[in-house]
Amino acid sequence: GNSVTQMEGPVTLSEEAFLTINCTYTATGYPSLFWYVQYPGEGLQLLLKATKADDKGSNKGFEATYRKETTSFHLEKGSVQVSDSAVYFCALSVTQGGSEKLVFGKGMKLTVNP
Amino acid sequence: GAGVSQSPSNKVTEKGKDVELRCDPISGHTALYWYRQSLGQGLEFLIYFQGNSAPDKSGLPSDRFSAERTGGSVSTLTIQRTQQEDSAVYLCASSLVPPGGTQYFGPGTRLLVL
């Protein structure tokens, strides 16, 4: 089946620390991969995406590379800020029989302290 | 431009009552999705609409749940005879170009069943 496994945390970092959130997936075919972010009190927002192998998505200093050989899409940021405190979700897009849906990981709560 | 909107933002109901949740997608988006976010289950897919038809209802948890979409725009998710386990945040998303396109999420409806 289709599934996403990601670090669940919670994780607390100091400002300017390096961040990696691991995400691996199981899927049939070639899904698109996404990172969504949920800031406190807000809705889900797309952070970045990649649609094919070796694509790199980037936004707001965050990066993730679609690695087909390791079925991974790890999220990285070189220097986190307090404003990056949020819950991060890795997701893949499943297209099957005329339908489409996102399959999400369980989310990881990140807190960044000044 | 306007994003996905949902109403009400919060709903408290008594066990056994019916509730209706509304979603207004981004104008021109042909695809519409409902998801549910709960502490125990994370983010779960409920139903997908392409235009007014729903080719995939596989995520609806029971026959108490139904959804419709009229005019290729507004969608309503109805839960009949609500149970306490239905308490969750119900999220709506829309997409311009399925499959694999970005899904844009609304702020959600927080449902509490007493």
Side-chain angles (χ1 to χ4, degrees):
Chain A
N2 301 294
S3 65
V4 174
T5 302
Q6 65 170 109
M7 294 169 59
E8 294 184 28
V11 169
T12 301
L13 296 175
S14 297
E15 207 165 23
E16 299 183 5
F18 182 83
L19 170 70
T20 298
I21 306 176
N22 288 339
C23 172
T24 58
Y25 67 90
T26 302
T28 53
Y30 304 98
S32 294
L33 301 174
F34 304 82
W35 278 99
Y36 279 84
V37 59
Q38 191 169 35
Y39 297 104
E42 297 185 18
L44 272 173
Q45 302 175 24
L46 178 69
L47 180 59
L48 53 84
K49 72 178 197 180
T51 58
K52 61 184 188 298
D54 300 324
D55 267 2
K56 177 187 283 188
S58 61
N59 186 26
K60 299 182 180 180
F62 290 89
E63 291 184 341
T65 300
Y66 190 144
R67 300 288 188 200
K68 182 169 176 288
E69 64 276 13
T70 54
T71 61
S72 64
F73 193 54
H74 305 320
L75 183 69
E76 295 184 337
K77 186 173 186 180
S79 176
V80 294
Q81 306 300 311
V82 172
S83 57
D84 294 327
S85 298
V87 181
Y88 292 81
F89 294 90
C90 184
L92 64 84
S93 176
V94 175
T95 303
Q96 195 171 9
S99 174
E100 189 200 12
K101 62 184 177 184
L102 289 173
V103 175
F104 288 89
K106 292 191 179 299
M108 195 207 80
K109 183 176 181 179
L110 171 68
T111 301
V112 180
N113 292 324
Chain B
V4 178
S5 61
Q6 294 185 245
S7 60
S9 54
N10 290 282
K11 177 73 177 178
V12 181
T13 190
E14 294 179 349
K15 177 182 172 181
K17 300 284 190 183
D18 297 352
V19 295
E20 280 190 356
L21 312 179
R22 177 186 168 107
C23 172
D24 279 274
I26 294 172
S27 178
H29 281 198
T30 59
L32 186 147
Y33 314 78
W34 284 96
Y35 294 85
R36 179 168 73 172
Q37 186 175 23
S38 59
L39 280 176
Q41 302 298 321
L43 274 155
E44 305 171 276
F45 167 80
L46 297 179
I47 189 169
Y48 161 70
F49 286 93
Q50 178 57 42
N52 290 336
S53 64
D56 189 354
K57 303 179 182 180
S58 65
L60 295 177
S62 76
D63 58 9
R64 297 186 295 105
F65 288 72
S66 63
E68 65 176 14
R69 189 179 185 196
T70 55
S73 181
V74 171
S75 176
T76 302
L77 177 69
T78 301
I79 309 173
Q80 296 178 310
R81 306 181 302 282
T82 52
Q83 303 295 312
Q84 289 182 330
E85 61 264 28
D86 299 335
S87 297
V89 178
Y90 290 82
L91 297 171
C92 176
S94 69
S95 172
L96 179 61
V97 188
T102 299
Q103 294 184 26
Y104 295 89
F105 283 80
T109 293
R110 187 175 298 274
L111 175 66
L112 178 61
V113 182
L114 300 176

